[in-house]
Amino acid sequence: MSGGVDSSVTAALLHEAGYEVVGMTLQLYDQGEAMARKGACCAGQDIYDARRVADGMGFPHYVLDYESRFRDAVIEDFADAYARGETPIPCVRCNQTVKFTDLLTTARELDADALATGHYVRRTVEADGAPTLRRAVDDGKDQSYFLFATTHAQLDFLRFPLGDLDKSETRRQAQRLGLAIADKPDSQDICFVPDGDYARIVRRLRPEAAEPGEIVDRDGTVLGRHDGIIHYTIGQRRGLGIGGRDTSSEPLYVVRLEPESRRVVVGPRAALATPDILLDQVNWLGGTRLSDGPAKVLVKIRNTMTPVPAAVEATPLGDVEVRFEQPQHGVSPGQACVFYDPADASRVLGGGWIAPRRPQAA
Protein backbone atom coordinates (compact mmCIF):
# COMPACT_ATOMS: atom_id res chain seq x y z
CA MET A 1 0.00 0.00 0.00
CA SER A 2 1.84 3.08 -1.27
CA GLY A 3 -0.79 5.43 0.12
CA GLY A 4 -2.24 6.22 -3.31
CA VAL A 5 -5.64 5.50 -4.82
CA ASP A 6 -4.69 2.34 -6.72
CA SER A 7 -3.20 0.29 -3.89
CA SER A 8 -5.82 1.55 -1.44
CA VAL A 9 -8.68 0.41 -3.71
CA THR A 10 -6.92 -2.93 -4.24
CA ALA A 11 -6.78 -3.56 -0.48
CA ALA A 12 -10.31 -2.31 0.15
CA LEU A 13 -11.87 -4.42 -2.64
CA LEU A 14 -10.17 -7.56 -1.35
CA HIS A 15 -11.29 -6.80 2.20
CA GLU A 16 -14.85 -6.23 0.98
CA ALA A 17 -14.73 -9.56 -0.87
CA GLY A 18 -14.03 -11.36 2.40
CA TYR A 19 -10.28 -11.93 2.19
CA GLU A 20 -8.12 -11.54 5.26
CA VAL A 21 -6.08 -8.50 4.23
CA VAL A 22 -2.83 -7.27 5.74
CA GLY A 23 -1.67 -3.88 4.46
CA MET A 24 2.08 -3.37 3.98
CA THR A 25 3.67 -0.01 3.24
CA LEU A 26 7.34 0.45 2.45
CA GLN A 27 9.25 3.26 4.10
CA LEU A 28 11.82 4.11 1.46
CA TYR A 29 13.22 7.35 2.86
CA ASP A 30 14.29 8.85 6.16
CA GLN A 31 11.06 10.04 7.78
CA GLY A 32 12.29 13.60 8.32
CA GLU A 33 13.14 13.88 4.64
CA ALA A 34 10.01 12.03 3.54
CA MET A 35 7.59 14.46 5.16
CA ALA A 36 8.91 17.20 2.86
CA ARG A 37 8.37 15.18 -0.33
CA LYS A 38 5.32 16.08 -2.38
CA GLY A 39 4.19 14.19 -5.48
CA ALA A 40 6.17 11.08 -4.53
CA CYS A 41 4.93 7.70 -3.40
CA CYS A 42 6.00 5.92 -0.22
CA ALA A 43 6.71 9.25 1.50
CA GLY A 44 5.59 10.54 4.92
CA GLN A 45 2.05 11.63 4.02
CA ASP A 46 1.54 8.48 1.97
CA ILE A 47 2.33 6.24 4.92
CA TYR A 48 -0.26 8.14 6.95
CA ASP A 49 -2.83 7.82 4.13
CA ALA A 50 -2.26 4.05 3.81
CA ARG A 51 -2.69 3.58 7.55
CA ARG A 52 -5.86 5.68 7.51
CA VAL A 53 -7.37 3.45 4.79
CA ALA A 54 -6.47 0.28 6.72
CA ASP A 55 -7.90 1.65 9.96
CA GLY A 56 -11.09 2.73 8.22
CA MET A 57 -11.60 -0.68 6.63
CA GLY A 58 -10.59 -2.55 9.78
CA PHE A 59 -7.57 -4.59 8.71
CA PRO A 60 -4.00 -4.53 10.10
CA HIS A 61 -1.32 -2.35 8.57
CA TYR A 62 2.48 -2.55 8.86
CA VAL A 63 5.22 -0.14 7.81
CA LEU A 64 8.38 -1.92 6.66
CA ASP A 65 11.72 -0.13 6.75
CA TYR A 66 13.21 -0.75 3.30
CA GLU A 67 15.24 2.46 3.19
CA SER A 68 18.64 0.75 3.02
CA ARG A 69 17.54 -1.87 0.49
CA PHE A 70 15.88 0.74 -1.73
CA ARG A 71 18.97 2.93 -1.65
CA ASP A 72 21.27 0.07 -2.63
CA ALA A 73 19.06 -1.67 -5.22
CA VAL A 74 17.40 1.34 -6.85
CA ILE A 75 18.96 4.74 -6.10
CA GLU A 76 22.62 3.63 -6.30
CA ASP A 77 21.86 1.59 -9.42
CA PHE A 78 20.17 4.66 -10.95
CA ALA A 79 23.28 6.79 -10.34
CA ASP A 80 25.61 4.05 -11.62
CA ALA A 81 23.64 3.77 -14.86
CA TYR A 82 23.88 7.49 -15.60
CA ALA A 83 27.60 7.43 -14.83
CA ARG A 84 27.94 4.66 -17.46
CA GLY A 85 26.14 6.80 -20.04
CA GLU A 86 22.93 4.76 -19.80
CA THR A 87 19.31 5.83 -19.29
CA PRO A 88 17.90 3.79 -16.38
CA ILE A 89 14.31 2.93 -15.46
CA PRO A 90 14.24 2.85 -11.64
CA CYS A 91 10.57 1.80 -11.47
CA VAL A 92 11.47 -1.51 -13.14
CA ARG A 93 14.38 -2.04 -10.73
CA CYS A 94 12.10 -1.33 -7.78
CA ASN A 95 9.53 -3.89 -8.98
CA GLN A 96 12.29 -6.38 -9.79
CA THR A 97 14.06 -6.13 -6.43
CA VAL A 98 12.31 -4.37 -3.56
CA LYS A 99 8.69 -5.22 -4.39
CA PHE A 100 8.64 -8.58 -6.15
CA THR A 101 11.63 -10.09 -4.37
CA ASP A 102 11.99 -8.62 -0.88
CA LEU A 103 8.36 -7.70 -0.26
CA LEU A 104 7.15 -10.98 -1.72
CA THR A 105 9.46 -12.83 0.67
CA THR A 106 8.01 -10.85 3.58
CA ALA A 107 4.47 -11.74 2.46
CA ARG A 108 5.38 -15.44 2.48
CA GLU A 109 6.90 -15.07 5.94
CA LEU A 110 3.53 -13.68 7.10
CA ASP A 111 1.99 -16.92 5.78
CA ALA A 112 0.05 -15.04 3.11
CA ASP A 113 -1.58 -16.90 0.23
CA ALA A 114 -0.92 -14.08 -2.24
CA LEU A 115 0.63 -10.64 -2.65
CA ALA A 116 -1.77 -8.18 -4.31
CA THR A 117 -0.65 -4.85 -5.78
CA GLY A 118 -2.29 -1.87 -7.44
CA HIS A 119 -0.45 -2.28 -10.74
CA TYR A 120 -2.48 -1.97 -13.95
CA VAL A 121 -1.65 -5.34 -15.45
CA ARG A 122 -3.51 -8.65 -15.68
CA ARG A 123 -2.67 -12.14 -14.53
CA THR A 124 -4.52 -14.98 -16.25
CA VAL A 125 -4.24 -18.74 -15.92
CA GLU A 126 -3.85 -21.03 -18.94
CA ALA A 127 -5.60 -24.37 -19.39
CA ASP A 128 -2.52 -26.14 -18.01
CA GLY A 129 -2.66 -24.02 -14.86
CA ALA A 130 0.32 -21.83 -15.76
CA PRO A 131 -0.12 -18.11 -14.95
CA THR A 132 0.50 -15.53 -17.67
CA LEU A 133 1.16 -11.80 -17.55
CA ARG A 134 -0.99 -9.58 -19.77
CA ARG A 135 -1.50 -5.94 -20.60
CA ALA A 136 -4.14 -4.06 -18.63
CA VAL A 137 -7.52 -3.34 -20.16
CA ASP A 138 -6.81 0.40 -19.85
CA ASP A 139 -4.07 1.06 -22.42
CA GLY A 140 -3.41 4.48 -20.94
CA LYS A 141 -2.55 3.00 -17.52
CA ASP A 142 -1.02 -0.33 -18.61
CA GLN A 143 2.17 -1.04 -16.62
CA SER A 144 3.24 -4.31 -18.25
CA TYR A 145 6.37 -2.66 -19.66
CA PHE A 146 7.58 -2.04 -16.10
CA LEU A 147 6.86 -5.61 -14.97
CA PHE A 148 8.69 -7.55 -17.70
CA ALA A 149 11.09 -9.06 -15.14
CA THR A 150 8.27 -10.81 -13.24
CA THR A 151 9.05 -14.54 -13.20
CA HIS A 152 6.77 -17.58 -13.40
CA ALA A 153 7.39 -18.28 -9.70
CA GLN A 154 6.42 -14.72 -8.76
CA LEU A 155 3.30 -14.82 -10.95
CA ASP A 156 2.15 -17.87 -9.01
CA PHE A 157 1.96 -15.68 -5.89
CA LEU A 158 0.97 -12.27 -7.31
CA ARG A 159 -2.49 -10.84 -7.93
CA PHE A 160 -3.45 -7.63 -9.80
CA PRO A 161 -7.11 -6.77 -9.07
CA LEU A 162 -7.07 -3.50 -11.05
CA GLY A 163 -5.99 -5.02 -14.36
CA ASP A 164 -9.56 -5.12 -15.69
CA LEU A 165 -10.44 -1.56 -14.60
CA ASP A 166 -9.70 1.86 -16.04
CA LYS A 167 -8.55 4.67 -13.75
CA SER A 168 -11.92 6.43 -13.69
CA GLU A 169 -13.56 3.22 -12.45
CA THR A 170 -10.86 2.83 -9.81
CA ARG A 171 -11.67 6.32 -8.50
CA ARG A 172 -15.40 5.52 -8.56
CA GLN A 173 -14.69 2.44 -6.46
CA ALA A 174 -12.67 4.56 -4.02
CA GLN A 175 -15.62 6.92 -3.63
CA ARG A 176 -18.10 4.06 -3.24
CA LEU A 177 -15.92 2.51 -0.56
CA GLY A 178 -15.67 5.83 1.25
CA LEU A 179 -11.89 6.08 1.02
CA ALA A 180 -10.56 9.49 2.03
CA ILE A 181 -7.91 9.33 -0.71
CA ALA A 182 -10.46 8.96 -3.57
CA ASP A 183 -9.46 12.30 -5.11
CA LYS A 184 -5.75 12.10 -4.31
CA PRO A 185 -3.61 12.96 -7.37
CA ASP A 186 -1.40 10.28 -8.88
CA SER A 187 2.29 10.38 -8.01
CA GLN A 188 4.44 11.93 -10.73
CA ASP A 189 8.01 11.49 -11.94
CA ILE A 190 10.50 9.18 -10.25
CA CYS A 191 9.48 8.72 -6.61
CA PHE A 192 12.88 9.72 -5.21
CA VAL A 193 13.16 12.66 -7.65
CA PRO A 194 9.75 14.35 -7.19
CA ASP A 195 11.05 17.70 -8.43
CA GLY A 196 12.30 16.13 -11.68
CA ASP A 197 15.92 17.17 -11.06
CA TYR A 198 17.49 13.73 -11.43
CA ALA A 199 20.87 15.29 -12.25
CA ARG A 200 21.08 16.63 -8.70
CA ILE A 201 20.82 13.07 -7.34
CA VAL A 202 23.45 11.77 -9.75
CA ARG A 203 25.83 14.68 -9.07
CA ARG A 204 25.68 13.94 -5.36
CA LEU A 205 26.27 10.19 -5.71
CA ARG A 206 28.47 10.04 -8.83
CA PRO A 207 30.10 13.48 -9.28
CA GLU A 208 32.23 12.21 -12.17
CA ALA A 209 29.07 12.02 -14.31
CA ALA A 210 28.72 15.80 -14.01
CA GLU A 211 32.25 16.61 -15.16
CA PRO A 212 32.39 18.80 -18.30
CA GLY A 213 33.56 17.46 -21.64
CA GLU A 214 33.38 17.80 -25.39
CA ILE A 215 30.50 17.52 -27.82
CA VAL A 216 31.85 15.98 -31.02
CA ASP A 217 30.56 14.72 -34.34
CA ARG A 218 31.03 11.10 -35.45
CA ASP A 219 34.44 11.96 -36.91
CA GLY A 220 35.64 13.40 -33.61
CA THR A 221 35.43 17.05 -34.63
CA VAL A 222 34.77 19.18 -31.56
CA LEU A 223 31.52 21.16 -31.93
CA GLY A 224 31.15 22.45 -28.38
CA ARG A 225 31.32 21.59 -24.71
CA HIS A 226 28.87 20.24 -22.15
CA ASP A 227 28.41 20.33 -18.37
CA GLY A 228 28.17 16.56 -17.81
CA ILE A 229 26.89 13.52 -19.70
CA ILE A 230 24.08 13.17 -17.16
CA HIS A 231 22.25 15.93 -19.05
CA TYR A 232 22.06 13.92 -22.29
CA THR A 233 20.21 10.87 -23.56
CA ILE A 234 20.38 8.96 -26.83
CA GLY A 235 18.09 10.53 -29.42
CA GLN A 236 18.05 13.94 -27.74
CA ARG A 237 17.80 16.87 -30.14
CA ARG A 238 16.96 19.92 -28.06
CA GLY A 239 19.26 21.59 -25.59
CA LEU A 240 22.55 20.46 -27.15
CA GLY A 241 24.02 23.93 -26.90
CA ILE A 242 25.69 23.81 -30.31
CA GLY A 243 23.01 25.29 -32.52
CA GLY A 244 21.46 21.91 -33.26
CA ARG A 245 22.71 21.60 -36.86
CA ASP A 246 25.89 20.55 -38.67
CA THR A 247 27.51 22.16 -41.72
CA SER A 248 24.90 20.57 -44.00
CA SER A 249 22.12 22.23 -41.92
CA GLU A 250 20.83 18.79 -40.97
CA PRO A 251 19.43 18.57 -37.41
CA LEU A 252 21.76 16.90 -34.92
CA TYR A 253 20.89 14.29 -32.31
CA VAL A 254 22.80 12.58 -29.52
CA VAL A 255 23.86 9.26 -31.05
CA ARG A 256 26.30 8.00 -28.42
CA LEU A 257 27.63 8.79 -24.94
CA GLU A 258 31.26 7.99 -24.07
CA PRO A 259 31.62 8.29 -20.30
CA GLU A 260 35.28 7.26 -20.24
CA SER A 261 36.27 10.28 -22.36
CA ARG A 262 33.31 12.38 -21.17
CA ARG A 263 32.27 12.93 -24.79
CA VAL A 264 28.79 13.42 -26.21
CA VAL A 265 28.70 12.24 -29.83
CA VAL A 266 26.13 13.82 -32.15
CA GLY A 267 25.03 13.08 -35.69
CA PRO A 268 22.08 13.11 -38.11
CA ARG A 269 18.89 11.20 -37.35
CA ALA A 270 19.94 8.45 -39.77
CA ALA A 271 22.81 7.61 -37.39
CA LEU A 272 20.25 6.63 -34.75
CA ALA A 273 18.82 3.79 -36.87
CA THR A 274 19.46 0.52 -35.02
CA PRO A 275 18.77 -2.83 -36.72
CA ASP A 276 19.47 -5.03 -33.68
CA ILE A 277 20.34 -4.89 -29.98
CA LEU A 278 21.83 -7.08 -27.26
CA LEU A 279 20.05 -7.65 -23.96
CA ASP A 280 21.22 -8.41 -20.42
CA GLN A 281 19.32 -10.12 -17.59
CA VAL A 282 16.61 -11.49 -19.86
CA ASN A 283 13.42 -12.90 -18.36
CA TRP A 284 11.64 -15.23 -20.80
CA LEU A 285 8.02 -16.25 -20.19
CA GLY A 286 7.48 -17.95 -23.56
CA GLY A 287 6.76 -21.62 -24.04
CA THR A 288 9.98 -22.38 -25.94
CA ARG A 289 13.68 -21.83 -25.22
CA LEU A 290 15.46 -18.87 -26.79
CA SER A 291 18.34 -21.18 -27.66
CA ASP A 292 16.01 -23.23 -29.90
CA GLY A 293 16.14 -20.56 -32.60
CA PRO A 294 14.65 -17.16 -33.36
CA ALA A 295 11.30 -16.47 -31.73
CA LYS A 296 9.03 -13.95 -33.40
CA VAL A 297 7.83 -11.31 -30.97
CA LEU A 298 6.48 -7.80 -30.76
CA VAL A 299 8.76 -5.49 -28.78
CA LYS A 300 8.65 -2.14 -27.03
CA ILE A 301 11.91 -0.30 -26.33
CA ARG A 302 10.00 2.56 -24.68
CA ASN A 303 6.85 2.34 -22.62
CA THR A 304 4.95 4.82 -24.78
CA MET A 305 5.66 3.25 -28.18
CA THR A 306 3.47 0.90 -30.20
CA PRO A 307 5.00 -2.63 -30.21
CA VAL A 308 6.93 -3.45 -33.39
CA PRO A 309 7.81 -6.85 -34.96
CA ALA A 310 11.18 -8.40 -34.14
CA ALA A 311 12.93 -11.73 -33.59
CA VAL A 312 14.69 -12.67 -30.37
CA GLU A 313 17.31 -15.40 -30.02
CA ALA A 314 20.09 -16.56 -27.71
CA THR A 315 23.44 -16.39 -29.52
CA PRO A 316 26.33 -18.91 -29.29
CA LEU A 317 28.20 -16.31 -27.20
CA GLY A 318 25.49 -16.42 -24.56
CA ASP A 319 23.94 -13.07 -25.44
CA VAL A 320 20.30 -12.53 -26.26
CA GLU A 321 19.90 -10.62 -29.50
CA VAL A 322 16.84 -8.80 -30.79
CA ARG A 323 16.62 -8.07 -34.53
CA PHE A 324 14.01 -5.51 -35.51
CA GLU A 325 11.96 -6.00 -38.66
CA GLN A 326 12.54 -2.29 -39.30
CA PRO A 327 15.46 -0.36 -37.71
CA GLN A 328 14.48 1.59 -34.61
CA HIS A 329 15.64 5.07 -33.64
CA GLY A 330 16.77 6.37 -30.25
CA VAL A 331 17.70 3.00 -28.72
CA SER A 332 19.45 3.68 -25.42
CA PRO A 333 21.47 1.27 -23.23
CA GLY A 334 19.89 0.94 -19.80
CA GLN A 335 16.33 0.99 -21.12
CA ALA A 336 14.13 -2.09 -21.28
CA CYS A 337 13.12 -4.13 -24.32
CA VAL A 338 9.85 -5.91 -23.55
CA PHE A 339 8.45 -8.83 -25.56
CA TYR A 340 4.79 -9.40 -26.44
CA ASP A 341 3.20 -12.36 -28.21
CA PRO A 342 2.51 -11.55 -31.91
CA ALA A 343 -0.40 -14.02 -31.84
CA ASP A 344 -1.89 -12.29 -28.78
CA ALA A 345 -0.44 -8.81 -28.29
CA SER A 346 -1.84 -8.58 -24.77
CA ARG A 347 0.42 -11.36 -23.52
CA VAL A 348 3.82 -10.43 -22.09
CA LEU A 349 6.62 -12.83 -23.03
CA GLY A 350 9.30 -11.17 -20.88
CA GLY A 351 12.11 -8.82 -21.77
CA GLY A 352 15.57 -7.65 -20.87
CA TRP A 353 17.84 -4.65 -20.37
CA ILE A 354 19.37 -3.06 -23.46
CA ALA A 355 23.15 -3.50 -23.24
CA PRO A 356 25.93 -1.46 -24.88
CA ARG A 357 27.26 -3.00 -28.06
CA ARG A 358 30.59 -4.81 -27.78
CA PRO A 359 33.41 -3.11 -29.70
CA GLN A 360 33.84 -4.61 -33.15
CA ALA A 361 37.03 -6.58 -33.79
CA ALA A 362 39.58 -4.85 -36.01
Side-chain angles (χ1 to χ4, degrees):
M1 297 182 67
S2 67
V5 176
D6 297 330
S7 58
S8 296
V9 169
T10 295
L13 286 175
L14 292 171
H15 177 75
E16 182 183 54
Y19 291 98
E20 180 183 353
V21 174
V22 175
M24 294 193 292
T25 298
L26 308 182
Q27 177 186 316
L28 302 181
Y29 319 99
D30 174 84
Q31 277 299 284
E33 179 186 0
M35 292 303 293
R37 293 179 180 268
K38 294 182 179 180
C41 69
C42 306
Q45 179 64 42
D46 299 305
I47 293 174
Y48 170 78
D49 288 342
R51 176 168 288 150
R52 185 167 51 154
V53 168
D55 288 346
M57 298 298 295
F59 58 79
H61 174 259
Y62 299 100
V63 178
L64 308 178
D65 182 359
Y66 276 32
E67 180 184 347
S68 176
R69 174 61 170 152
F70 183 75
R71 182 179 62 248
D72 293 343
V74 180
I75 299 179
E76 295 284 348
D77 178 82
F78 176 82
D80 282 339
Y82 268 109
R84 293 192 301 266
E86 300 176 359
T87 307
I89 314 177
C91 293
V92 177
R93 286 295 188 198
C94 185
N95 290 325
Q96 187 178 22
T97 57
V98 174
K99 291 180 180 176
F100 288 176
T101 300
D102 301 327
L103 183 57
L104 190 146
T105 298
T106 300
R108 290 188 185 277
E109 291 172 349
L110 290 174
D111 200 27
D113 295 308
L115 174 65
T117 79
H119 288 102
Y120 284 87
V121 69
R122 290 180 294 152
R123 173 191 181 274
T124 60
V125 179
E126 299 298 289
D128 61 1
T132 60
L133 187 65
R134 295 183 180 275
R135 292 175 56 86
V137 168
D138 184 348
D139 282 338
K141 293 295 294 182
D142 173 60
Q143 293 173 293
S144 61
Y145 179 84
F146 301 101
L147 298 179
F148 78 84
T150 307
T151 65
H152 282 297
Q154 291 167 346
L155 279 175
D156 278 336
F157 198 68
L158 289 165
R159 301 294 185 272
F160 307 106
L162 302 188
D164 291 312
L165 305 182
D166 60 30
K167 188 58 183 256
S168 59
E169 177 60 24
T170 299
R171 289 199 181 274
R172 282 194 292 271
Q173 290 294 331
Q175 292 167 350
R176 180 185 66 79
L177 292 161
L179 304 184
I181 47 74
D183 297 320
K184 185 175 181 177
D186 290 343
S187 58
Q188 301 294 326
D189 299 314
I190 300 168
C191 70
F192 57 90
V193 195
D195 60 359
D197 187 6
Y198 68 88
R200 175 178 56 85
I201 301 291
V202 181
R203 278 196 301 269
R204 176 167 58 84
L205 296 175
R206 302 293 182 272
E208 66 275 14
E211 293 178 357
E214 298 173 336
I215 301 175
V216 303
D217 65 17
R218 290 180 295 166
D219 294 325
T221 302
V222 177
L223 303 178
R225 293 189 60 82
H226 64 79
D227 294 325
I229 62 171
I230 57 175
H231 300 291
Y232 298 86
T233 57
I234 305 299
Q236 179 177 335
R237 177 184 173 187
R238 299 183 183 277
L240 301 185
I242 53 173
R245 295 179 183 274
D246 63 11
T247 55
S248 68
S249 296
E250 189 171 359
L252 294 175
Y253 299 79
V254 176
V255 299
R256 190 168 68 253
L257 299 175
E258 298 179 349
E260 297 84 0
S261 59
R262 302 196 302 278
R263 297 203 308 180
V264 174
V265 182
V266 298
R269 187 174 187 275
L272 290 169
T274 304
D276 51 66
I277 55 176
L278 295 177
L279 303 182
D280 284 334
Q281 302 175 48
V282 171
N283 178 50
W284 178 245
L285 298 174
T288 60
R289 295 180 302 178
L290 291 178
S291 57
D292 290 341
K296 291 187 178 298
V297 293
L298 297 174
V299 302
K300 292 173 68 171
I301 55 173
R302 291 177 296 277
N303 177 49
T304 55
M305 72 178 287
T306 300
V308 297
V312 58
E313 182 181 15
T315 73
L317 295 177
D319 297 314
V320 172
E321 184 178 50
V322 175
R323 294 184 296 280
F324 303 113
E325 192 169 286
Q326 296 292 332
Q328 297 298 301
H329 292 75
V331 178
S332 177
Q335 293 281 286
C337 177
V338 180
F339 315 139
Y340 296 86
D341 189 342
D344 179 359
S346 72
R347 182 175 178 177
V348 182
L349 296 179
W353 296 99
I354 300 173
R357 273 289 182 180
R358 291 189 302 272
Q360 297 295 316

